[in-house]
Amino acid sequence: MKAKKRQFLEENTSLSLNQESLFPSKGKLDIDDEDSSDESVVESSDEEVLEKETEYFNKLQAKSAQTIEKPYSSDVDDDVSDDEDLRNTVGNIPMEWYENFPHIGYDLDGRTISKPIRNQDELDKFLDKMENKNYWRTVHDKQTGRDHVLTSEELQLIQRLKKGSFYTSGIDPHEPYVDFFTHEKMIHPVTNIPEHKRSFTPSIIEKRKVGKLVHAIKMGWLKPRKPKTDESEEPKFYDLWEETESKTPTNSELARQKMAIPAPKTQLPGHEASYNPPPEYLPSQEEIDKWKEDDEDERKLDFIPEKFDSLRQVPQYPTFIQERFSRCLDLYLCPRQRKMKVMVNPEELIPNLPKPKDLQPFPTFQALCYKGHKAMVRTISVDSTGQWLASGSDDGIIRVWEVATSRCLREITTLGDQPVKCVSWCPNKSVCLLAVALENKIVIINPSIGDKLIYSATDSLLQSFQPLADEETTNKQESEKSNAVIPPWKTVETGLPYQDGQRLVITHPKDVSKVTWHAKGDYLACVVPGNGHAQVFLHQLTKQRSQTPFTKCKGAVQSVLFHPTRPFLFVATQQYVRVYNLVKQQLTKKLMANSKWISSLAIHPGGDNLLVGSYDCRLSWFDMDLSTKPYKTMRYHKRAIRSCCYHPKYPLFASGGDDGNVVVSHGMVYSDLMQNPLIVPVKVLKGHKVERNLGVLDCCFHPHQPWIFSSAADKTIRLFT
């Protein structure tokens, strides 16, 4: 029997089984020792050992057979019992390293742990979340790749750790302290051990050590410490403002002493600080109430004087800590050195501007008031001769006034009830034309006033136009290039509109907000906000053609303006003003207005300076030869600025806002490029009323005289001369 066991053990030594787990550590069988055992052992003990050997032999045989028939596999999660240890022994490493391997680590025996099969998609996860009652307590173990359901003990441990408590409830952090040594005097001592005999005799070892130290001190090998005096034990305090007198002070030290400032001294207490002051120092009830109402800086005394019969009745001073703290602040924050101040005259900081009397002429008072509109007057325009004034209102009526007499000569009422957005006279003196922006149309009107030869020649000029044969094809090609609809032109030849002055109608995809003429009077630019990339249109009057100069518009266009002498086009968005060269078809400059929303544009007759008004009460002057940022920003209005303009001849510019004021300023531009423009505000013109939070809506100068026209929401037009 023993020989069979030995042979079986030798054959199964190659199996990777933990034999120590099959046999107890204290009861390992040693067959060689059994053979050499003493013969005097009792037979009953041999039988017990034989039974144990047989039991362990059978267990080993069953384990080996199971290993041979069924190799180890960690893929099956259901066959794993709770007692089996599936510990992953890879250590504290990133588990992403095993992404490209079929296993996830190694167990205690060094065999690979295969990855579990996880074929759940999002729908399976959702169903598991809805149906599985233990879903909320299930966590994923990255070490083994399995899902672990937390037990009640583990959940309780997690909750205690989140609260910051101990890991177990058996520990009481606030248990009462048991004082071993009580304050009560006991009869018997805690320890009553009698003193040892050697405690009464001097130590020989200590005597030898002291002798060595004394010998080292005598020989100079060891230097003893200096004895501490009573003065050195006390803390030393230094006075920051102490006047240190040197025997031979240098020049720098003398200068430093002169510049030093002594510490401020506290004010000595007077009779009112006494505990028993005279009656005249005691305040009345009215004075006490007034003292409490005053600010701390305005009070003459920091306390209220009180009277006590004796010094022992004086209570504690309630503001003692506050007073000491303020005294420390006075010492800490007081200047310790005199600084030489630069004596600056405040009048020198103010720029030397000329007096307004020296800058005349400019408009100073109201001369005429043009009344007749039934709604707010949005736009006005003066013709190039300075004799006629055109105005457009929300009542849909266009009126032409005589400037000198404020008499209404012409009313154009066939346009409808829609508000008139903009009117503009043609700057060409040889024609008599008025451009009107109404809804999505631009109407070219001949008001037929003034010189009969001029307005009759204007009609003959418009009637002499003959469209080309390939006009439609060119319009289609331009519309395909610009990805926008080219506005069609319509000629008004007969009927009531023709008698009312209408000659041409240009229809746009959306409403038109702004119309402006070129200096020569042949080209017309308009703004169509909200029309995608085609927000700017250019119209040529003589050829009756339209085009969109931009395939893309960056931002919402607010206003456009032609340069008076060069082929430049100014396009203003909400925060920027872009200058385009129409000949080269490229962007020349980009001006930053430093404002949130631009409302209006005006260009100087010289062409090198630009005026930009905004709804955030700012009026910016740009010197385009100097910088792309404003040369000067003026804030003379309290509300939004609606319009701004330059005088074509005089060095004047003006702005009108919702506060109902028109601010006239002197703006001289010198021919010397080294000299900056002179900007001086000279007059604030008042007279318009603010209605519905709207004031002056438009303003423009007379072409020849230093006069200014302004229209407002109060349905009037005023002339200031």
Side-chain angles (χ1 to χ4, degrees):
M1 185 70 179
K2 294 180 181 178
K4 285 183 179 181
K5 292 177 184 178
R6 183 184 300 275
Q7 184 179 0
F8 182 79
L9 289 173
E10 289 177 356
E11 290 176 356
N12 292 278
T13 51
S14 59
L15 294 175
S16 58
L17 296 174
N18 190 0
Q19 296 180 5
E20 294 181 4
S21 64
L22 300 176
F23 297 97
S25 60
K26 294 183 180 180
K28 290 183 180 181
L29 296 178
D30 193 349
I31 300 174
D32 296 336
D33 293 342
E34 283 189 20
D35 294 339
S36 60
S37 60
D38 193 2
E39 295 178 356
S40 63
V41 180
V42 185
E43 293 180 0
S44 61
S45 61
D46 291 341
E47 291 177 359
E48 292 177 359
V49 172
L50 188 59
E51 290 177 0
K52 291 181 180 180
E53 290 179 4
T54 306
E55 182 180 355
Y56 290 122
F57 175 76
N58 294 333
K59 188 184 293 186
L60 178 64
Q61 188 175 6
K63 187 73 176 179
S64 61
Q66 181 182 0
T67 307
I68 294 171
E69 293 175 0
K70 183 180 180 180
Y72 178 80
S73 175
S74 60
D75 293 337
V76 183
D77 294 343
D78 299 335
D79 297 341
V80 179
S81 62
D82 296 337
D83 298 336
E84 187 176 358
D85 193 359
L86 292 177
R87 193 177 304 166
N88 197 349
T89 60
V90 294
N92 188 13
I93 63 169
M95 300 308 295
E96 290 80 4
W97 293 358
Y98 287 93
E99 287 182 354
N100 300 326
F101 293 94
H103 60 281
I104 200 171
Y106 304 91
D107 61 357
L108 292 173
D109 295 333
R111 287 168 296 189
T112 59
I113 300 176
S114 301
K115 292 182 180 178
I117 301 173
R118 300 178 67 89
N119 295 328
Q120 289 184 346
D121 55 359
E122 296 297 330
L123 183 60
D124 295 336
K125 291 180 181 178
F126 177 74
L127 293 175
D128 188 21
K129 182 178 180 180
M130 295 292 105
E131 297 174 357
N132 189 4
K133 296 181 180 180
N134 296 327
Y135 181 82
W136 64 276
R137 60 165 65 191
T138 305
V139 295
H140 181 69
D141 188 5
K142 293 183 179 180
Q143 291 282 344
T144 59
R146 293 178 173 85
D147 293 336
H148 174 67
V149 180
L150 298 175
T151 61
S152 300
E153 291 79 6
E154 292 173 345
L155 288 174
Q156 186 178 4
L157 175 61
I158 292 173
Q159 292 176 358
R160 295 186 64 83
L161 291 177
K162 288 174 66 177
K163 294 179 181 178
S165 306
F166 288 94
Y167 63 93
T168 178
S169 60
I171 299 176
D172 185 11
H174 306 291
E175 61 183 1
Y177 173 69
V178 180
D179 192 3
F180 183 75
F181 296 95
T182 61
H183 63 281
E184 298 177 359
K185 194 171 183 180
M186 309 297 290
I187 299 174
H188 301 286
V190 179
T191 58
N192 199 10
I193 302 173
E195 296 290 340
H196 202 270
K197 183 180 178 180
R198 63 173 171 267
S199 61
F200 298 98
T201 58
S203 175
I204 300 175
I205 298 174
E206 292 180 358
K207 181 181 177 181
R208 290 175 182 174
K209 288 183 179 179
V210 172
K212 290 181 180 179
L213 293 175
V214 170
H215 180 67
I217 292 172
K218 288 181 179 179
M219 297 299 294
W221 302 336
L222 182 65
K223 294 182 180 181
R225 297 177 181 176
K226 294 181 180 180
K228 294 183 179 179
T229 59
D230 296 339
E231 297 178 356
S232 61
E233 294 179 358
E234 297 178 357
K236 291 183 179 181
F237 301 98
Y238 299 94
D239 190 1
L240 294 175
W241 293 274
E242 183 181 2
E243 296 181 0
T244 56
E245 297 181 359
S246 58
K247 295 181 180 180
T248 56
T250 60
N251 295 331
S252 60
E253 290 177 353
L254 290 174
R256 195 180 302 112
Q257 291 176 6
K258 289 181 181 180
M259 300 298 292
I261 299 176
K265 296 181 180 180
T266 56
Q267 187 179 2
L268 297 177
H271 294 292
E272 64 276 357
S274 174
Y275 74 93
N276 189 10
E280 59 267 15
Y281 287 96
L282 295 175
S284 61
Q285 187 61 33
E286 295 179 358
E287 293 176 350
I288 293 174
D289 296 339
K290 185 180 179 182
W291 182 87
K292 291 180 179 179
E293 292 177 358
D294 294 341
D295 295 335
E296 295 182 358
D297 299 336
E298 298 178 358
R299 296 172 181 172
K300 294 181 179 180
L301 297 175
D302 296 336
F303 59 93
I304 300 175
E306 298 182 26
K307 185 176 182 179
F308 300 95
D309 296 336
S310 60
L311 188 61
R312 69 171 180 269
Q313 295 181 358
V314 178
Q316 183 183 2
Y317 188 44
T319 59
F320 173 75
I321 297 177
Q322 287 83 348
E323 280 195 0
R324 292 298 92 198
F325 181 71
S326 62
R327 172 62 181 169
C328 293
L329 285 180
D330 293 341
L331 296 176
Y332 170 66
L333 298 175
C334 73
R336 302 179 186 178
Q337 188 178 6
R338 292 184 178 89
K339 290 186 177 181
M340 299 300 294
K341 292 184 178 179
V342 180
M343 300 302 294
V344 179
N345 189 6
E347 296 180 356
E348 295 178 357
L349 300 177
I350 301 174
N352 294 324
L353 297 177
K355 296 180 181 180
K357 294 181 180 180
D358 301 336
L359 302 177
Q360 289 181 347
F362 54 84
T364 55
F365 61 91
Q366 179 180 330
L368 294 174
C369 182
Y370 304 83
K371 296 181 180 180
H373 284 287
K374 299 179 182 179
M376 63 174 67
V377 185
R378 288 186 177 272
T379 174
I380 55 176
S381 178
V382 187
D383 72 328
S384 57
T385 61
Q387 188 177 359
W388 317 111
L389 174 68
S391 62
S393 174
D394 280 0
D395 55 6
I397 299 175
I398 298 173
R399 297 175 184 266
V400 181
W401 312 80
E402 189 178 6
V403 173
T405 61
S406 70
R407 185 165 59 96
C408 182
L409 298 178
R410 188 74 185 272
E411 286 187 7
I412 302 173
T413 59
T414 58
L415 298 176
D417 298 334
Q418 298 298 325
V420 179
K421 299 292 184 63
C422 183
V423 296
S424 180
W425 283 96
C426 181
N428 190 358
K429 295 182 180 181
S430 60
V431 295
C432 180
L433 289 176
L434 183 67
V436 179
L438 185 76
E439 289 185 332
N440 63 337
K441 300 176 182 179
I442 294 179
V443 183
I444 307 298
I445 297 175
N446 184 1
S448 300
I449 58 173
D451 193 352
K452 186 177 181 181
L453 296 176
I454 294 177
Y455 66 75
S456 58
T458 303
D459 288 339
S460 60
L461 176 64
L462 296 176
Q463 292 173 2
S464 63
F465 170 74
Q466 294 181 358
L468 300 176
D470 57 345
E471 188 72 22
E472 296 181 358
T473 57
T474 55
N475 288 339
K476 289 182 180 179
Q477 292 176 0
E478 290 180 359
S479 61
E480 291 176 358
K481 290 180 181 178
S482 59
N483 295 327
V485 178
I486 298 300
W489 291 62
K490 179 183 177 182
T491 304
V492 180
E493 297 178 352
T494 57
L496 187 61
Y498 183 83
Q499 296 177 4
D500 215 5
Q502 298 185 28
R503 297 295 181 265
L504 295 172
V505 177
I506 310 172
T507 306
H508 296 79
K510 292 190 177 182
D511 292 351
V512 182
S513 63
K514 181 72 174 178
V515 177
T516 181
W517 287 90
H518 190 264
K520 294 183 179 180
D522 189 19
Y523 286 93
L524 190 71
C526 66
V527 178
V528 184
N531 193 29
H533 296 305
Q535 299 184 38
V536 180
F537 286 95
L538 297 180
H539 308 291
Q540 189 175 4
L541 189 63
T542 56
K543 296 183 180 180
Q544 295 187 10
R545 291 179 56 187
S546 302
Q547 60 178 345
T548 55
F550 310 113
T551 56
K552 292 183 180 180
C553 284
K554 298 180 179 179
V557 179
Q558 304 296 317
S559 180
V560 293
L561 199 64
F562 284 104
H563 194 279
T565 56
R566 298 179 182 177
F568 290 161
L569 181 66
F570 296 85
V571 180
T573 56
Q574 289 184 359
Q575 295 181 353
Y576 300 98
V577 179
R578 293 177 173 85
V579 185
Y580 294 95
N581 191 331
L582 297 177
V583 176
K584 297 182 180 179
Q585 297 183 0
Q586 63 182 8
L587 178 65
T588 305
K589 285 185 179 180
K590 182 180 179 181
L591 307 178
M592 292 175 285
N594 293 338
S595 59
K596 295 181 180 179
W597 200 305
I598 295 174
S599 62
S600 55
L601 284 179
I603 191 166
H604 193 268
D608 293 334
N609 295 273
L610 188 70
L611 206 62
V612 178
S614 62
Y615 291 115
D616 51 357
C617 313
R618 297 183 183 183
L619 184 67
S620 303
W621 179 296
F622 284 90
D623 189 351
M624 291 187 290
D625 294 336
L626 183 65
S627 174
T628 58
K629 294 182 180 180
Y631 163 69
K632 191 173 184 180
T633 302
M634 294 153 281
R635 300 183 183 181
Y636 301 140
H637 292 273
K638 296 181 180 179
R639 292 189 180 181
I641 296 176
R642 294 286 176 175
S643 63
C644 58
C645 58
Y646 277 105
H647 198 286
K649 290 186 178 181
Y650 290 94
L652 296 173
F653 68 92
S655 60
D658 283 342
D659 53 359
N661 300 332
V662 178
V663 180
V664 181
S665 302
H666 177 86
M668 174 61 75
V669 178
Y670 300 96
S671 58
D672 186 8
L673 297 178
M674 299 301 294
Q675 191 170 2
N676 294 328
L678 176 63
I679 301 173
V680 183
V682 292
K683 190 65 178 178
V684 178
L685 303 175
K686 299 181 179 180
H688 289 287
K689 296 179 181 179
V690 178
E691 294 185 2
R692 292 184 293 177
N693 293 328
L694 294 175
V696 178
L697 300 178
D698 196 5
C699 63
C700 62
F701 279 102
H702 193 276
H704 308 298
Q705 300 294 334
W707 302 345
I708 187 170
F709 300 89
S710 63
S711 63
D714 58 356
K715 310 173 187 177
T716 61
I717 304 168
R718 299 176 190 268
L719 169 63
F720 296 92
T721 61

